[in-house]
Amino acid sequence: MDSSQTVREGLIPLLPRLRRLARALAGPTADADDLVQVVLERTLSRAAQWRPDAALDKWVFAIARNVWRDEWRARSRSQQLFAPEEVGATVADGSHTQLAQRLELAEAMATLLPDHREVVALVLVEGMSYSEAANLLEVPVGTVTSRLARARAILQTQLGRDT
Amino acid sequence: MNPIDDETLQAYVDGELDAAGVARIAAALAHDDVLAQRVRQARALREQVRAAFDPILDEPIPARLSALLQPGTPPVATVAAPRAVAASRRISGATRHRPARRWLMPSAALAASVALLAFGLWWQSGNDLVRVQAGQSFAAGDLSAALDQALASEPRPGSATVIGLSFRAVDGHVCRTFVHRPKPTIAGLACHNANGWSLPVLSTAVEPAGGELRQAASALPPEVQAAVDARLRGDVFDAQQERAARDAGWH
């Protein structure tokens, strides 16, 4: 079996996690799936570079992060203008708590800088350890730690918890 | 004892502390209510992030993504990101004449956020068209009745809900797009399951009602089209299939 086929087959079970990561990085549905598509195409085109002793998920997530970081954000920069103030006031009714929290969190994530959003995506959403995230981002573990602490503080402020 | 700084506290919550560090926090927690509150906050945030993104793991994979990984698919060339995606979509979607250029609009993602947001706002306005069950939204009231009964092939003048496409989704459920006007003006996708018409996507980004609602299908907001894309394999129902599906109770 050549590496291309190995990678192709290995990607199939990773698709749900890749979509989740893309959503955390890029935002809402349509845009995030476009990102996934580009990442899949990029990954397949580079399949020959994949070493079977490397974890495929870490490799494809690194590609996803780089595509998002280097190419994607330029396209969707206009998203940053979108930060409706009303959201914090919506859906206070307790029976809709779950929905309300998801709305609030999506809005709060959208306000994070790329450095912050990617550590949240890798550690809190994907569940990587600090050292795994540091490897992927090619920064020291201390940088991951400080960015994550900063991101958390911003999210908690946005979510009105830091009173 | 030194105060516990934020980075240490988050390392504790994330399971990144060594045994000595854990012991130190555990000892401090026993008599420090403020610290305990900070730990609770950090845990709650962690849970909220997971709760917001983990449901994506259970969503159906869009056909255009899984198709890329099918064996025998010719190797793809590396593409310049967004435009090539739109181009490949245009090809795959050509038979349905959907307005592919919408995908190039930078506002597509924005509109999807608006949809979520509007949904939240709309919810609060006390409508009775949507109910929430186990964290999922379902059609209720007039909307549910219209989804049960209305046929795209026989539009009913004066009806608030207009049906667009009906089709069988990749997971086997029957799904229908709809536009509801005028108040609240929403569009969305409804998929029939044992609990009723679930609503995986709703949007208020609906174009003004020019020329009646005949073009309900083509005028769907991008995020609704994306939801259709994610579920559609094969063709949408024709009038006969639509009627047959209704007669079969949408199963």
Side-chain angles (χ1 to χ4, degrees), chain A residues 20 34 37 130 152 161, chain B residues 14 48 54 59 64 89:
Chain A
R20 180 178 65 173
D34 284 352
Q37 181 165 347
Y130 294 177
R152 275 189 154 106
R161 291 230 185 88
Chain B
D14 291 341
Q48 188 171 346
D54 280 359
E59 290 179 3
R64 68 186 165 102
R89 274 187 179 176

